[in-house]
Amino acid sequence: MLEKIKKAGFEAYFVGGSVRDALLGKAIHDIDIACSSYPAETKNIFPRTIDIGIEHGTVLVLENGHEYEVTTFRTEDVYVDYRRPSRVSFVRSLEEDLKRRDFTINAFALDEESYVIDKFNGLEDLKNKILRAVGEPSERFKEDALRIMRGLRFSACLNFTIEEKTFSAMQDHAELLEKISVERSFIELDKLLQAPFWKQGIRYLMLSHAYQYLPFLQDSLIKWEKMLADLPEDFVFSSSEQAWGAVLLYLGIDKTAPFLKKWKTSNDFQKTVEKMLAIYKLRQERKADKADVYRYGLHLMLLVEELRQAQGLTVDFERIKTIHANLTIHHKHEIVIKGRDLMAELQLKPGPELGKLLNQIEEHLVAGHLVNERTAILDFVRKELEA
């Protein structure tokens, strides 16, 4: 990739998080390339490209079965909404491009010979596990307030300490988060909660007062502190749903849907978290039975047990797994007889009575009182109809 761009007479470097992760020995996901070629020039170099952000200088290049985001070196004008620049100017200078990056550990450039270009002492910060804004911190956060949430997330993911001046600027500009789209803030907080050092990220969230400017989190300090105190330091959430279920639990949110809708989450996500909280509530009252395991599924049941274990409560991992393994059916689609079969065999008509019979069949199969065989189910229905 880099060689092709350079052969065409331009500069090109790997930049951003992929360089940072490579230096840290972490797995690399998205690979970003910055170059001195303008978008039209980049498109002339590669036969297969897609305009994904052409106004910002970004072209998606399809090469050798991979996708690469290739962006022209650029500078940015005044930010009008604390998120997007009023204008982007393409430049031929790598240093001018790197100046607009958020943190020093994200402002590296890597050439084709694996030489690291470090204009802001990011290698030293990487070595010392310090998160420091590029240039003047206040300017970086006024340009893009989401960088505050990104900083908290990086701290949680990397176990980095936020440099004093950078953190002070986060505190000073935390109120600007109200101007950021909820979807963007959710993505960062979601990643923070699932990070290995999420507790550190939450502590910074509290100390920066950023939580005060996020949906439904105002005046929640004591509740966050309770969550941090209850869960072990080495506990890591297994999924996004488990993490947000715990947040709702500790925040004392009774109505799950309005809270998660405010955070612009999907309906499926809301339903999953609601189910987790329902499981948690029933487990506070009693042990799970066959009907519970069938209704909610093994995965969610075990996620709740993990949370209970972290809280020091009694758990039933093996019992729940055994119940699930011994269920006659795990989903209604597995039932060998459908409504149309009952109508054909027993001359039943569509309606409430048929629906009631199908529910009875399902309940008896789950309870283990009926085998999932055609003859057995038909005999059961005949007896119900005669009763």
Side-chain angles (χ1 to χ4, degrees):
M1 280 293 296
L2 298 189
E3 290 85 348
K4 270 196 175 184
I5 299 173
K6 294 194 77 172
K7 281 181 181 178
F10 303 100
E11 290 183 62
Y13 305 90
F14 295 115
V15 294
S18 62
V19 180
R20 177 199 68 230
D21 289 342
L23 292 169
L24 289 171
K26 293 178 175 288
I28 297 172
H29 301 289
D30 300 325
I31 297 176
D32 297 328
I33 293 171
C35 60
S36 61
S37 58
Y38 286 10
E41 295 167 330
T42 302
K43 292 170 72 172
N44 284 334
I45 299 170
F46 299 98
R48 300 178 64 209
T49 64
I50 300 172
D51 296 352
I52 60 169
I54 200 79
E55 70 278 9
H56 299 298
T58 301
V59 175
L60 185 69
V61 175
L62 309 176
E63 186 84 353
N64 299 323
H66 298 284
E67 297 181 353
Y68 303 90
E69 286 193 12
V70 180
T71 304
T72 302
F73 298 153
R74 67 194 192 192
T75 60
E76 294 164 345
D77 208 337
V78 176
Y79 283 66
V80 293
D81 56 3
Y82 304 99
R83 175 65 184 139
R84 291 182 293 269
S86 57
R87 186 179 64 177
V88 170
S89 300
F90 303 142
V91 295
R92 301 289 189 185
S93 166
L94 172 65
E95 185 166 356
E96 286 300 311
D97 181 83
L98 295 178
K99 279 181 182 178
R100 67 179 182 80
R101 305 280 167 169
D102 50 9
F103 302 102
T104 61
I105 62 168
N106 294 333
F108 301 120
L110 184 72
D111 69 14
E112 72 279 8
E113 295 178 357
S114 299
Y115 176 74
V116 178
I117 298 168
D118 176 21
K119 301 285 187 180
F120 307 102
N121 296 317
L123 288 172
E124 191 69 19
D125 288 338
L126 206 62
K127 176 184 174 183
N128 295 323
K129 293 188 154 189
I130 291 174
L131 192 69
R132 187 192 313 272
V134 171
E136 178 53 48
S138 290
E139 292 180 10
R140 297 293 80 77
F141 299 130
K142 280 192 286 186
E143 287 169 351
D144 183 355
L146 186 65
R147 287 170 172 166
I148 296 170
M149 293 300 296
R150 280 171 57 81
L152 302 181
R153 188 247 296 180
F154 286 134
S155 174
C157 289
L158 302 173
N159 195 25
F160 277 29
T161 301
I162 302 176
E163 180 266 335
E164 186 176 347
K165 190 176 179 182
T166 299
F167 188 68
S168 179
M170 286 180 171
Q171 292 175 312
D172 292 343
H173 297 92
E175 63 185 30
L176 296 180
L177 286 171
E178 290 182 329
K179 302 180 182 295
I180 299 299
S181 74
V182 174
E183 294 93 335
R184 296 275 187 170
S185 292
F186 175 83
I187 289 170
E188 296 302 331
L189 185 53
D190 186 52
K191 289 179 179 178
L192 184 160
L193 287 167
Q194 295 179 78
F197 306 99
W198 67 272
K199 280 196 164 190
Q200 176 165 287
I202 293 298
R203 290 187 185 106
Y204 275 132
L205 179 78
M206 295 189 296
L207 289 170
S208 66
H209 308 299
Y211 70 95
Q212 293 280 32
Y213 305 101
L214 298 172
F216 289 137
L217 299 189
Q218 295 77 18
D219 304 318
S220 59
L221 181 63
I222 294 175
K223 294 170 182 178
W224 285 110
E225 289 175 342
K226 169 71 172 164
M227 183 173 172
L228 293 181
D230 272 10
L231 301 177
E233 200 66 32
D234 60 353
F235 176 73
V236 178
F237 291 107
S238 296
S239 71
S240 176
E241 292 85 353
Q242 186 189 55
W244 285 88
V247 169
L248 282 156
L249 186 67
Y250 279 98
L251 292 182
I253 305 295
D254 294 324
K255 296 182 178 179
T256 305
F259 179 94
L260 292 176
K261 280 180 182 176
K262 186 73 173 177
W263 279 94
K264 301 296 178 69
T265 60
S266 69
N267 288 335
D268 285 345
F269 185 84
Q270 293 164 27
K271 288 175 184 176
T272 302
V273 175
E274 281 182 333
K275 286 178 182 178
M276 277 200 60
L277 292 174
I279 297 167
Y280 186 90
K281 183 178 179 181
L282 79 83
R283 286 290 290 115
Q284 292 291 82
E285 299 168 355
R286 60 176 173 79
K287 290 186 174 184
D289 58 25
K290 289 180 180 179
D292 299 325
V293 178
Y294 174 76
R295 178 183 179 186
Y296 295 113
L298 181 63
H299 179 63
L300 289 185
M301 296 294 300
L302 295 183
L303 285 179
V304 171
E305 291 305 292
E306 288 176 5
L307 186 56
R308 285 175 57 82
Q309 186 177 56
Q311 293 175 316
L313 301 173
T314 57
V315 291
D316 256 347
F317 287 107
E318 295 309 315
R319 181 173 170 276
I320 289 170
K321 288 177 184 177
T322 300
I323 289 174
H324 182 265
N326 292 329
L327 284 174
T328 307
I329 58 170
H330 297 92
H331 194 281
K332 66 170 65 177
H333 293 153
E334 296 175 13
I335 301 175
V336 296
I337 278 188
K338 312 299 179 190
R340 62 178 177 272
D341 299 315
L342 296 182
M343 289 190 289
E345 287 279 344
L346 305 172
Q347 289 75 52
L348 296 174
K349 295 180 180 179
E353 185 179 8
L354 179 61
K356 182 181 176 183
L357 284 170
L358 290 171
N359 287 335
Q360 287 179 308
I361 292 168
E362 186 178 8
E363 288 171 5
H364 278 71
L365 286 170
V366 171
H369 301 150
L370 181 63
V371 291
N372 191 25
E373 294 175 357
R374 185 182 180 86
T375 302
I377 293 174
L378 286 173
D379 287 345
F380 167 77
V381 174
R382 289 189 182 97
K383 288 179 183 177
E384 288 297 314
L385 290 172
E386 291 170 2

